[in-house]
Amino acid sequence: MKYILYCAINNPILINETIYSLLSLSKTSHFRPDVRIIILTNLTFPATVSCESWFKLQNRIIIETICNQSIIDRWTNNGAYRFNIKIEAIRFILDKYKGDVLFVDSDTIFLKDPTPLFDRIGYSRFALLYRYQSYRTLIKMPLYHNVVQK
């Protein structure tokens, strides 16, 4: 299974950004049957969004709720390092869901189908978009890195 992961923790604005990003994803993606979307949050996520594009996605979305604030405090060292949430969210999802994970910031707007990026993810490799580049440039550039030497 392949997962697109959003993380919307501690800030309600991230929920709205995630919804907007998902709507852009629904307009650009030709979903493969093995792709699911996980939204990791400690906030209330709307049960549905009244929009035709949302219906294309709703059966693919998994809402993973973290109800225990102590987990988030541990992830962020009691708020001292809030950006650590992304790393810990990826680790949490990889431990729970076995498969390839494509982490997406909540403010990402899709202009093209991102699912070909899954072909760049493999055992002991990660892909990183470290600048805002065009999708065409990303596909041409090998941005993956071997984590484990074979």
Side-chain angles (χ1 to χ4, degrees):
M1 192 65 68
K2 299 178 183 322
Y3 301 97
I4 297 173
L5 171 62
Y6 287 90
C7 185
I9 293 180
N10 287 344
N11 186 345
I13 292 171
L14 298 176
I15 295 290
N16 292 336
E17 288 179 350
T18 298
I19 291 169
Y20 193 74
S21 178
L22 286 168
L23 292 174
S24 73
L25 178 66
S26 74
K27 293 285 190 183
T28 60
S29 252
H30 307 289
F31 283 108
R32 304 188 308 205
D34 62 340
V35 175
R36 298 290 179 268
I37 300 160
I38 299 174
I39 302 167
L40 183 64
T41 188
N42 65 337
L43 305 167
T44 302
F45 198 87
T48 188
V49 175
S50 296
C51 170
E52 184 177 330
S53 297
W54 188 257
F55 297 118
K56 181 178 174 183
L57 296 175
Q58 69 184 21
N59 293 331
R60 295 179 177 274
I61 295 176
I62 301 165
I63 307 293
E64 187 69 45
T65 305
I66 298 176
C67 296
N68 191 337
Q69 184 63 36
S70 66
I71 293 171
I72 296 167
D73 291 342
R74 188 178 72 237
W75 287 1
T76 62
N77 193 17
N78 293 316
Y81 191 64
R82 65 185 173 102
F83 295 108
N84 199 44
I85 283 180
K86 293 178 181 183
I87 297 165
E88 294 298 335
I90 294 167
R91 184 179 300 163
F92 177 81
I93 294 302
L94 284 172
D95 285 345
K96 185 164 183 175
Y97 298 89
K98 306 304 179 201
D100 297 331
V101 175
L102 178 63
F103 181 87
V104 176
D105 278 331
S106 62
D107 61 354
T108 301
I109 303 302
F110 292 97
L111 302 176
K112 295 205 178 202
D113 183 5
T115 55
L117 293 175
F118 282 113
D119 298 332
R120 293 193 170 266
I121 300 172
Y123 177 76
S124 77
R125 293 189 327 186
F126 68 91
L128 175 66
L129 177 59
Y130 57 92
R131 289 190 191 144
Y132 290 105
Q133 298 178 0
S134 73
Y135 182 78
R136 183 171 289 137
T137 304
L138 178 62
I139 293 301
K140 289 180 182 176
M141 292 176 53
L143 294 177
Y144 65 87
H145 172 72
N146 285 328
V147 178
V148 178
Q149 299 296 324
K150 292 183 181 178

